[in-house]
């Protein structure tokens, strides 16, 4: 709203992510806040470090996150890039706040990283190439020009680039 004095005021809704359950994060589609979910456990890191059963419970929560992200990816609700970004940012947050708790850091990281292998990079690259090809086709660019461009841009062989057409 603009006030008579010419200033602009906004209502900003504040959420306390530490009060949200995993279920709420996914229900409300607050996926970009998932990396900060670990803060809700920070006060218990010392316990997790000393108690394998409690550490395993934490790991199970992160297994749920990973599985839910996989499901969203399979449903087409998020892209591979989004999934990888959430996992990568979760690991970065974890690295910083669990610096004194190696078992916590390595235990959660092992779950989150899990199957992040070369195939994800390939999937992201494939999605990028497919998007590029689609745009160029929609712009009416000739097929041979598209082939030449994606070969050059993505370092593909002529055979590999033909698969994208």
């Amino acid at each position: 709203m603009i006030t008579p004095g010419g200033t602009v005021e906004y209502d900003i809704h504040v959420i306390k992510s530490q009060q949200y359950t995993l279920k709420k994060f996914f229900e409300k589609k607050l996926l970009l806040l998932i990396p900060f979910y670990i803060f809700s456990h920070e006060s218990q890191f010392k316990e997790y470090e000393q108690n394998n059963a409690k550490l395993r419970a934490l790991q199970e929560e992160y297994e749920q996150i990973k599985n839910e992200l996989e499901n969203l990816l399979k449903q087409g609700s998020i892209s591979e890039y989004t999934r990888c970004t959430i996992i990568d940012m979760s690991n970065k947050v974890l690295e910083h706040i669990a610096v004194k708790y190696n078992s916590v850091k390595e235990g959660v990281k092992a779950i989150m990283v899990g199957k992040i292998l070369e195939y994800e990079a390939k999937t992201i690259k494939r999605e990028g190439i497919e998007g590029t090809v689609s745009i160029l086709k929609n712009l009416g660019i000739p097929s041979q020009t598209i082939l030449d461009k994606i070969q050059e841009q993505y370092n593909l062989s002529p055979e590999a680039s033909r698969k994208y057409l």
Side-chain angles (χ1 to χ4, degrees), residues 13 15-16 23 33 36-39 43 56-57 78-80 102 107 125 134 144 146 155-156 158:
H13 299 280
I15 65 166
K16 293 184 179 185
K23 186 177 178 182
L33 295 179
F36 304 103
Y37 178 72
I38 193 69
F39 282 110
S43 64
R56 185 66 202 135
I78 63 171
S79 68
E80 183 73 25
N102 202 43
K125 182 177 180 180
S134 177
Q144 187 57 51
I146 294 172
N155 297 319
L156 298 174

Side-chain angles (χ1 to χ4, degrees), residues 46-121:
K46 190 172 183 176
E47 283 181 64
Y48 298 148
E49 196 73 14
Q50 297 167 352
N51 185 322
N52 284 338
K54 289 185 178 187
L55 178 59
R56 185 66 202 135
L58 176 66
Q59 288 174 308
E60 287 172 4
E61 284 189 35
Y62 275 84
E63 187 77 39
Q64 287 175 358
I65 292 171
K66 188 173 94 173
N67 291 340
E68 190 62 35
L69 291 172
E70 279 293 325
N71 290 337
L72 291 172
L73 176 65
K74 287 176 186 173
Q75 295 168 6
S77 300
I78 63 171
S79 68
E80 183 73 25
Y81 178 79
T82 299
R83 187 183 76 81
C84 288
T85 301
I86 291 168
I87 290 171
D88 187 46
M89 293 309 296
S90 295
N91 287 329
K92 282 183 173 39
V93 171
L94 179 67
E95 285 283 329
H96 285 85
I97 69 166
V99 73
K100 297 179 189 175
Y101 303 97
N102 202 43
S103 293
V104 172
K105 183 171 52 175
E106 295 306 318
V108 172
K109 198 172 183 180
I111 297 298
M112 290 303 282
V113 173
K115 295 181 181 177
I116 297 182
L117 302 172
E118 186 181 338
Y119 84 90
E120 291 179 339

Side-chain angles (χ1 to χ4, degrees), residues 112-150:
M112 290 303 282
V113 173
K115 295 181 181 177
I116 297 182
L117 302 172
E118 186 181 338
Y119 84 90
E120 291 179 339
K122 288 179 181 177
T123 300
I124 292 168
K125 182 177 180 180
R126 179 185 45 77
E127 288 175 356
I129 295 170
E130 289 171 351
T132 300
V133 169
S134 177
I135 291 168
L136 294 175
K137 280 182 174 181
N138 288 339
L139 291 172
I141 305 295
S143 294
Q144 187 57 51
T145 304
I146 294 172
L147 286 172
D148 294 342
K149 290 297 180 189
I150 64 173

